[in-house]
Amino acid sequence: MRILIQIRPVPDVTSAVIHDPEKQTAADVAGDLPGVELDESYPPVALPKPVPKADDGDPLSMHQAMTFSLEPDSASVLVRGEIADDDVASRRARLSASNPDIVGIFSDPVIETMPVCPGDGPSGTWQDVGDRLKVPELLAHGMDGAGVPIAVVDTGINADHLVTAGAEIAVDAARSWTPASASHTPGRFDVGHGTMCAFAAGIAAPQAALLDIALLRTRRRARNRMEALTSDGIVAFAYLRTILESMEQDHKALVVSSNSWGSYDPAWDFPVGDPANYSDNLSHPFNIVVGALESAGADILFAAGNCGRPCPSGKCVYSERTIVGANSHPDVLSIGGVDIQDERVGYSSQGPGRLDRHKPDICAYTHFLGSEVYGPGSADSGTSTACPVAAGVLAAIRSRFPCGTISPEAMREMVRGAANDVTGRGFTDDYGHGIVSVPGLLEKLGVQGLI
């Protein structure tokens, strides 16, 4: 079984991982761990320490406002390895007891893209979506995403196809990230899921810069789909934090992450209640790095998933509460899907979420004719499309309202409060707070006379 091992070495070793990670190996950090086959291809990753913001906060709870420390004397380090599949519980216990530097052992479940069940053709076009989002008005007033990087964390982008499909948005190859195991260069991947997401992000923010974060190229192609592990996501999010910190202070914190993937099967995880669990555990390392990136200034969006009760993907195994792990993180916007008639698409996952009960946060548009990455006339579909549509809206807004003036937390509250409540019942498990509304959001921001 593949596991993540959290280690707290001496501060000098942690400092080396923080400041010069490419020169460190798993063995440098963990030494010899009997019974564990360390994955030397996986770079050690520094894990920030979550600390309650309030002086009287509960140091043992993650269910409160947190800050994250990467100081060498408080951070820890993650390495990846495998243990034998027999008697896993006993092996984990003995491993923890064998080395006082080990402070945690966690699951490393598979994550993958979110295809939907086959069915109806596209409903409307991407231009219709642009009209619903008031894109012409946004562009006329300089809200076009200029200066805002959108990190498309997915299977990789094909820039040529974006141009062919009519998109203006460009890939910033210099600040993109390609896994060591992938042979392609940023913007030159095969046409597919990542290109569809990039196209959707560009509808509302054509002047944003796409960061091609090809996470799902990390591991393998399996049964005609792309997979990775949450441990790969930790590396990608650690990289995004370096991008954020490299920005000039006055323009810092403008990264918008679009994550159209998730975990479908509890068999890939440790059981709920187990300290090593991912799906329901805010203390899992991946959920910590998500919170740390948001705390550093990133707006983070995750697709809610395609396990809606009327038409779930055939891969959905969770029988209830299908918005799992980071897709339901309290510090992200979880995005469901509606068509251009404002009807929730049947496959869009409903709440409650597992980490935060009030998920999805909002819905955005999907199932329209757009990139046609899956052939002429095919729909851009799933919450995989709705998520980058919403990310593009935030990037457009951020081009006038950077994170230095409105924090990601405050922006999430505005997005929720501005949503079009089509049910008239406030928050619901189907629509969240409603459908993304540009006019409502601008009103919240105090922009007058635009729309």
Side-chain angles (χ1 to χ4, degrees):
M1 169 171 283
R2 193 179 296 267
I3 55 173
L4 278 167
I5 305 168
Q6 181 185 5
I7 296 177
R8 182 161 291 121
V10 297
D12 286 350
V13 173
T14 304
S15 179
V17 173
I18 294 171
H19 299 294
D20 203 3
E22 295 181 355
K23 294 184 179 180
Q24 314 307 314
T25 69
D28 292 337
V29 174
D32 181 32
L33 296 178
V36 178
E37 183 179 350
L38 286 175
D39 183 350
E40 291 294 346
S41 71
Y42 185 77
V45 184
L47 184 68
K49 178 183 179 181
V51 180
K53 281 186 178 179
D55 292 339
D56 59 350
D58 181 352
L60 302 181
S61 174
M62 290 291 293
H63 295 279
Q64 58 190 317
M66 309 294 284
T67 61
F68 297 85
S69 173
L70 255 181
E71 293 299 318
D73 59 354
S74 59
S76 54
V77 180
L78 292 171
V79 297
R80 187 167 73 183
E82 289 193 50
I83 58 176
D85 290 331
D86 63 298
D87 198 11
V88 170
S90 176
R91 287 180 179 275
R92 285 168 47 206
R94 295 183 66 184
L95 176 59
S96 295
S98 69
N99 188 326
D101 292 339
I102 295 177
V103 293
I105 299 172
F106 298 93
S107 65
D108 190 12
V110 171
I111 53 177
E112 57 182 299
T113 55
M114 294 178 163
V116 299
C117 49
D120 299 337
S123 174
T125 68
W126 67 272
Q127 291 94 341
D128 296 327
V129 171
D131 290 341
R132 300 300 298 265
L133 298 176
K134 307 297 182 186
V135 170
E137 291 86 348
L138 287 172
L139 297 182
H141 290 79
M143 296 187 190
D144 54 10
V148 182
I150 302 176
V152 178
V153 186
D154 213 272
T155 62
I157 299 169
N158 186 290
D160 290 342
H161 185 86
L162 290 179
V163 174
T164 301
E168 299 177 20
I169 196 165
V171 174
D172 181 349
R175 292 192 291 176
S176 295
W177 175 82
T178 302
S181 57
S183 58
H184 295 71
T185 55
R188 301 296 175 193
F189 286 90
D190 299 337
V191 176
H193 193 269
T195 306
M196 179 186 76
C197 294
F199 184 93
I203 293 175
Q207 297 305 309
L210 293 175
L211 306 188
D212 189 359
I213 309 297
L215 167 63
L216 299 180
R217 297 279 175 173
T218 303
R219 184 171 175 240
R220 63 181 180 176
R221 181 182 293 275
R223 299 191 297 278
N224 298 320
R225 65 177 187 268
M226 302 306 298
E227 293 181 348
L229 300 166
T230 52
S231 53
D232 302 320
I234 290 169
V235 177
F237 271 57
Y239 172 76
L240 287 174
R241 182 164 177 154
T242 67
I243 292 293
L244 199 58
E245 293 177 344
S246 69
M247 292 177 159
E248 295 180 10
Q249 189 63 32
D250 291 345
H251 303 284
K252 190 177 179 182
L254 301 177
V255 174
V256 179
S257 295
S258 173
N259 304 278
S260 294
W261 41 269
S263 180
Y264 280 92
D265 190 340
W268 299 338
D269 198 353
F270 284 110
V272 176
D274 188 309
N277 168 266
Y278 162 68
S279 66
D280 292 61
N281 179 14
L282 271 172
S283 294
H284 187 279
F286 184 62
N287 293 323
I288 287 178
V289 299
V290 169
L293 184 63
E294 187 272 351
S295 180
D299 298 300
I300 304 176
L301 299 90
F302 270 83
N306 299 324
C307 298
R309 285 184 285 275
C311 179
S313 164
K315 296 187 303 178
C316 299
V317 181
Y318 285 96
S319 59
E320 58 181 8
R321 299 176 64 198
T322 58
I323 308 177
V324 173
N327 302 62
S328 64
H329 198 291
D331 294 340
V332 312
L333 284 171
S334 179
I335 310 297
V338 295
D339 64 19
I340 64 165
Q341 306 302 323
D342 291 348
E343 292 291 331
R344 189 182 71 83
V345 291
Y347 48 72
S348 180
S349 290
Q350 295 122 312
R354 287 183 172 264
L355 295 184
D356 183 347
R357 189 248 178 272
H358 291 93
K359 300 293 178 179
D361 291 276
I362 62 166
C363 289
Y365 300 104
T366 185
H367 218 96
F368 51 82
L369 187 66
S371 68
E372 298 183 286
V373 299
Y374 297 117
S378 63
D380 287 359
S381 60
T383 57
S384 290
T385 294
C387 180
V389 165
V393 171
L394 258 67
I397 298 296
R398 284 299 192 193
S399 56
R400 276 191 55 184
F401 297 92
C403 301
T405 58
I406 299 175
S407 71
E409 179 181 11
M411 182 62 81
R412 287 196 303 279
E413 286 300 316
M414 288 186 179
V415 169
R416 294 169 183 142
N420 181 16
D421 180 12
V422 291
T423 69
R425 294 184 284 122
F427 179 88
T428 67
D429 289 342
D430 287 348
Y431 284 86
H433 293 272
I435 300 172
V436 62
S437 169
V438 169
L441 186 52
L442 294 177
E443 182 179 351
K444 292 281 184 185
L445 291 164
V447 177
Q448 304 295 327
L450 174 58
I451 297 173

